[in-house]
Amino acid sequence: MASKADTKQVYRVQGFTCTNCAAIFEKNVKNLPRVQDAQVNFGASKITVYGEATVEELEKAGAFENLKVTPERERVEVKKEPFWKENWNVLLSAVLLVAGYLLGEQYGEESLLSAITYAASILIGGYELFMKGLKNLARLQFDMNTLMTVAILGAAAIGEWGEGATVVILFAISEVLERYSMEKARQSIRSLMDIAPKEALIRRGDQELLINVDDIQVGDIMIVKPGQKLAMDGVVIKGTSTINQAAITGESVPVTKTIDDEVFAGTLNEEGLLEVQVTKRVEDTTISKIIHLVEEAQAERAPSQAFVDRFAKYYTPAIMILALGIAIIPPLLTGGSWSEWIYRSLALLVVGCPCALVISTPVSIVTAIGNAAKNGVLIKGGIHLEEAGRLSAIAFDKTGTLTRGVPEVTDFIIFGDKNENELLAIAAVIEKGSQHPLASAIIRKAENEKVDISLEVDEFNSITGKGVKAKIAGELYYIGSPKLFAELNASNLTEDISNQVEALQKQGKTVMVLGTEQQILALFAVADEVRDSSKNVIQQLHNLGIKKTIMLTGDNRATAEAIGSQLGVAEVKAELLPQDKLEFIKQLRKEYGNVAMIGDGVNDAPALAASTVGIAMGGAGTDTALETADIALMADDLGKLPYTMKLSRKTLTIIKQNITFSLGIKALALLLIVPGWLTLWMAIFADMGATLIVTLNSLRLLRVKE
């Protein structure tokens, strides 16, 4: 496997028009002599090649579709040809079609002049189509090009030159529109790629140089003037400014950045002059990771797309066999007119083209994932996009998700004869070794009070879910939940202390106790401020039909209940250890089916993994969140959650509409063939119309806003 990865090359591909031609290109590349494997990403217009292949070999493999291939890292300026120049053959074919019709009106429909003009129209407009179709026919590959080629040549063979030419034009127009709409869907990724500048002003020694981002090294000093975009990720080492981070996080309100703050490539410096030390190479920046993950997400097949692909695999050959049956069986058995039944079978071939059906899902997925990325939500695959639309229950981690995650010590109550600074120093020095979010509050308080915390700590141990213990100056101290002290020595928790603990907890504060096995020395009450948006988000989710919202926390019940009632969550589960959260998520899945877990992507990893959809908060700058979650909210903002739900549900609705409509049109057209009411041009119009309608319907997802 390692050797396969060593020879991996990624290329961008220009010219994909449909999923079918992408599949043929993939197959052709796999057949190249030095290639072990290849994977095409149709949504992102990329191919990953495992092995060795030159650009010339790849372009030869894609010659059937005139594909242009360039290495992923190479920047290519795409020159847009004028419409008439790009589609001259379609326009000339259309002119000849009209001329053929006028000549038919003047000299009669059967006239030689009219037939020659129609034939010229067919050849000029359908040349590329015939080349692909005939090659496929020779290989017994049945796709839309094969169906159309047989239908058009069949129409000409039975003297229906006019209809054959009409089919060519309508099919060519359909291809142009399909290409345009797919490009529109992919535009969301392109706009992400263009966010970050390609050069930056770098100071090296005494010189200031304008350097290409590929040549910028970690540790370089980047100078960013007001009104400029940042080209690289880094840390501010000089200056203060407001930065518009909308491109990364979707937040419209600029954020103040000063020394030691993290900044991202693609964001806009609005006011001050900043000096930024570069922390990542260009391929590792947050925006590069977003683009990479979005493109990977668009390659991952959604369940509905997998169904469509399986269906189309058997559907196209079935249409060919059915058409052959219609052309041969009625004339042989009933003595019907050969030309009439051949005509009907040709109409079936045209209307049976699975274009609309095959494109119905990928366009929706590509559009939705691109729209989400532009709004600061990273959805890592079509499957997660679909599942987010089916959620029944959502579980929230409390600290850092529903609350700000920056706790402060609000009360410090002392028992016994030790002074305040001495106890604060003991608590802070023990908590320095702890990973618990609340530990930072005690350390900050000690720093603010300028307490000396250079005491020597021995035998530090964490007591999972309850607290920590350590020896200082030979004495063993514990700091943790009241529950820990009840287990150590129940007699320590006097009625007076228990009442004080309960009173603080009812105020929504978390109480930590400092003491030894023999006595309780102090109580620390810590409060974590609830986010402004949390209550509104919970309300919106209930309005969207989420049956259950649950807050999961390791905090004590009284504090959790106080915060839960303040936010309006339906249920609160408190005093949970990490494994309890995992078990609770499993139980929720049994009860509600589709369950989301929302956390910070670092803690709660097992619960995030066990949920149907794991959603991480604050993905920007957090590699763990980007890697572990199915969906990452790039801003530290829960407000993106209802938008994600709406987008997912809208996507599911549109995919269902597209599949139903595509199959419905086919069924209706098949019924019209029986009495002979379906003409060739009506068949292509139905197919083209269906393709265009499902594509435009999918593009409605670009309009979903917060």
Side-chain angles (χ1 to χ4, degrees):
M1 193 69 191
S3 61
K4 183 176 168 179
D6 290 343
T7 55
K8 184 175 96 165
Q9 297 291 329
V10 182
Y11 299 88
R12 297 204 173 274
V13 184
Q14 275 175 266
F16 278 149
T17 53
C18 67
T19 50
N20 196 66
C21 66
I24 294 168
F25 178 55
E26 181 179 281
K27 189 179 175 186
N28 290 351
V29 172
K30 281 179 181 176
N31 289 333
L32 291 173
R34 292 173 299 153
V35 172
Q36 284 98 51
D37 197 9
Q39 287 170 349
V40 164
N41 179 338
F42 175 67
S45 270
K46 285 163 66 172
I47 184 166
T48 304
V49 179
Y50 298 97
E52 290 179 38
T54 63
V55 169
E56 290 73 23
E57 284 175 318
L58 294 174
E59 289 192 342
K60 194 175 177 185
F64 69 96
E65 190 78 349
N66 291 326
L67 300 177
K68 294 280 170 279
V69 179
T70 48
E72 185 185 31
R73 305 282 301 147
E74 198 176 292
R75 291 200 176 87
V76 181
E77 292 297 318
V78 182
K79 288 182 182 175
K80 264 313 244 180
E81 296 281 359
F83 181 83
W84 65 269
K85 204 170 182 181
E86 209 172 75
N87 300 287
W88 66 269
N89 55 333
V90 181
L91 295 171
L92 181 56
S93 181
V95 169
L96 288 168
L97 174 67
V98 173
Y101 173 75
L102 294 173
L103 288 168
E105 287 290 298
Q106 193 167 348
Y107 301 109
E109 283 185 24
E110 306 295 323
S111 72
L112 182 63
L113 199 56
S114 172
I116 290 169
T117 313
Y118 281 137
S121 173
I122 289 171
L123 282 171
I124 292 167
Y127 175 75
E128 284 183 18
L129 166 69
F130 297 146
M131 293 309 291
K132 295 176 203 170
L134 292 169
K135 278 181 190 171
N136 287 349
L137 203 55
R139 298 185 194 123
L140 294 178
Q141 287 178 347
F142 301 119
D143 66 358
M144 63 178 183
N145 295 310
T146 321
L147 297 184
M148 287 298 168
T149 301
V150 172
I152 293 159
L153 295 178
I158 59 171
E160 296 289 346
W161 293 98
E163 294 223 14
T166 308
V167 168
V168 166
I169 286 295
L170 289 174
F171 183 72
I173 293 168
S174 165
E175 289 265 272
V176 169
L177 292 171
E178 201 176 303
R179 200 177 294 127
Y180 166 78
S181 52
M182 200 62 210
E183 283 299 307
K184 185 88 175 155
R186 289 189 185 119
Q187 202 59 47
S188 50
I189 304 178
R190 295 235 176 86
S191 60
L192 284 175
M193 288 176 184
D194 296 336
I195 284 169
K198 305 294 178 269
E199 294 178 320
L201 189 62
I202 298 291
R203 182 189 296 129
R204 285 180 182 166
D206 299 331
Q207 285 186 303
E208 289 184 5
L209 311 162
L210 198 62
I211 294 178
N212 189 292
V213 289
D214 292 330
D215 301 322
I216 295 173
Q217 301 298 320
V218 171
D220 277 343
I221 307 302
M222 180 170 66
I223 297 162
V224 191
K225 296 173 182 175
Q228 284 185 339
K229 280 185 176 180
L230 282 79
M232 306 290 282
D233 282 13
V235 173
V236 177
I237 57 167
K238 188 177 177 184
T240 301
S241 183
T242 53
I243 301 280
N244 187 329
Q245 300 192 143
I248 302 289
T249 65
E251 297 166 288
S252 52
V253 179
V255 180
T256 302
K257 298 281 184 179
T258 187
I259 293 168
D260 290 338
D261 283 343
E262 192 176 15
V263 287
F264 307 112
T267 57
L268 177 68
N269 179 21
E270 294 198 337
E271 291 172 359
L273 181 72
L274 291 178
E275 289 191 14
V276 175
Q277 185 165 33
V278 175
T279 54
K280 293 176 183 174
R281 284 192 50 77
V282 66
E283 61 269 21
D284 300 322
T285 60
T286 303
I287 190 70
S288 296
K289 280 190 176 172
I290 292 171
I291 292 164
H292 175 72
L293 288 169
V294 168
E295 291 187 331
E296 292 305 303
Q298 290 176 333
E300 189 183 313
R301 296 189 172 192
S304 53
Q305 189 176 340
F307 156 74
V308 166
D309 290 347
R310 277 198 311 273
F311 182 84
K313 187 179 173 183
Y314 300 107
Y315 168 83
T316 312
I319 288 287
M320 288 289 285
I321 293 162
L322 188 58
L324 190 63
I326 286 175
I328 296 170
I329 294 166
L332 287 177
L333 296 184
T334 63
S337 162
W338 280 93
S339 63
E340 184 189 329
W341 285 101
I342 288 172
Y343 182 87
R344 288 188 194 186
S345 76
L346 296 176
L348 172 63
L349 283 180
V350 173
V351 83
C353 182
C355 242
L357 183 65
V358 170
I359 206 163
S360 60
T361 306
V363 179
S364 304
I365 300 290
V366 168
T367 308
I369 289 174
N371 182 4
K374 286 176 79 173
N375 282 285
V377 178
L378 194 60
I379 302 172
K380 290 170 66 176
I383 187 166
H384 310 306
L385 177 70
E386 287 196 13
E387 282 173 345
R390 298 191 183 103
L391 293 173
S392 304
I394 300 181
F396 296 88
D397 175 40
K398 178 179 77 74
T399 308
T401 302
L402 292 170
T403 61
R404 292 190 185 281
V406 187
E408 297 293 335
V409 175
T410 56
D411 302 82
F412 181 24
I413 302 163
I414 296 167
F415 306 101
D417 51 7
K418 286 194 171 164
N419 71 43
E420 186 174 314
N421 280 5
E422 190 183 351
L423 289 172
L424 189 54
I426 290 168
V429 80
I430 295 173
E431 288 289 32
K432 270 177 83 176
S434 171
Q435 295 294 312
H436 198 278
L438 299 180
S440 59
I442 293 174
I443 296 163
R444 267 199 305 278
K445 182 168 176 65
E447 285 170 350
N448 293 341
E449 303 277 334
K450 297 190 167 48
V451 171
D452 178 23
I453 53 171
S454 59
L455 301 171
E456 198 167 312
V457 177
D458 294 313
E459 297 177 29
F460 175 90
N461 271 303
S462 176
I463 306 161
T464 307
K466 293 170 190 171
V468 289
K469 63 178 179 177
K471 268 189 180 176
I472 295 172
E475 188 162 7
L476 184 61
Y477 291 93
Y478 292 83
I479 183 162
S481 65
K483 196 174 171 183
L484 169 66
F485 283 81
E487 289 174 11
L488 283 171
N489 186 348
S491 62
N492 285 337
L493 278 170
T494 63
E495 193 178 340
D496 175 45
I497 292 175
S498 295
N499 288 342
Q500 288 195 55
V501 167
E502 204 174 314
L504 290 166
Q505 288 176 344
K506 280 179 178 170
Q507 294 169 34
K509 296 171 182 176
T510 302
V511 180
M512 289 191 287
V513 184
L514 172 67
T516 64
E517 278 187 41
Q518 286 71 44
Q519 69 175 127
I520 286 173
L521 300 171
L523 298 182
F524 291 90
V526 177
D528 185 6
E529 201 180 335
V530 170
R531 291 179 188 271
D532 300 333
S533 62
S534 294
K535 187 175 182 179
N536 185 34
V537 166
I538 300 289
Q539 184 60 53
Q540 282 182 308
L541 292 173
H542 285 155
N543 292 345
L544 282 168
I546 293 296
K547 293 174 189 169
K548 189 101 167 174
T549 52
I550 310 103
M551 184 174 85
L552 306 180
T553 179
D555 220 334
N556 70 81
R557 186 159 303 284
T559 304
E561 293 284 359
I563 291 173
S565 60
Q566 187 184 337
L567 293 174
V569 289
E571 190 180 343
V572 173
K573 289 285 177 185
E575 298 173 9
L576 300 177
L577 298 173
Q579 61 264 35
D580 297 332
K581 289 184 182 181
L582 174 62
E583 288 306 315
F584 191 70
I585 290 291
K586 286 180 180 174
Q587 186 188 322
L588 272 177
R589 286 196 71 169
K590 282 179 191 166
E591 277 182 62
Y592 292 95
N594 289 335
V595 177
M597 171 72 192
I598 302 172
D600 61 9
V602 182
N603 307 323
D604 307 314
L608 282 169
S611 59
T612 318
V613 183
I615 303 175
M617 288 277 289
T622 314
D623 290 348
T624 317
L626 288 178
E627 284 157 23
T628 57
D630 301 320
I631 296 175
L633 308 179
M634 300 306 287
D636 211 16
D637 176 18
L638 262 186
K640 299 286 178 189
L641 192 55
Y643 154 78
T644 308
M645 297 279 301
K646 279 191 278 188
L647 179 70
S648 303
R649 288 180 177 187
K650 185 83 172 168
T651 306
L652 276 178
T653 304
I654 281 179
I655 287 171
K656 283 175 188 167
Q657 286 172 354
N658 286 351
I659 292 173
T660 307
F661 179 74
S662 305
L663 293 175
I665 283 284
K666 303 294 179 205
L668 180 64
L670 290 172
L671 289 174
L672 292 176
I673 284 172
V674 178
W677 296 344
L678 190 75
T679 63
L680 265 179
W681 70 266
M682 279 168 64
I684 185 68
F685 208 74
D687 180 65
M688 182 187 88
T691 305
L692 191 55
I693 287 166
V694 300
T695 309
L696 292 175
N697 194 33
S698 300
L699 291 178
R700 284 168 53 216
L701 289 165
L702 288 171
R703 291 163 50 195
V704 178
K705 298 280 187 287
E706 284 182 64

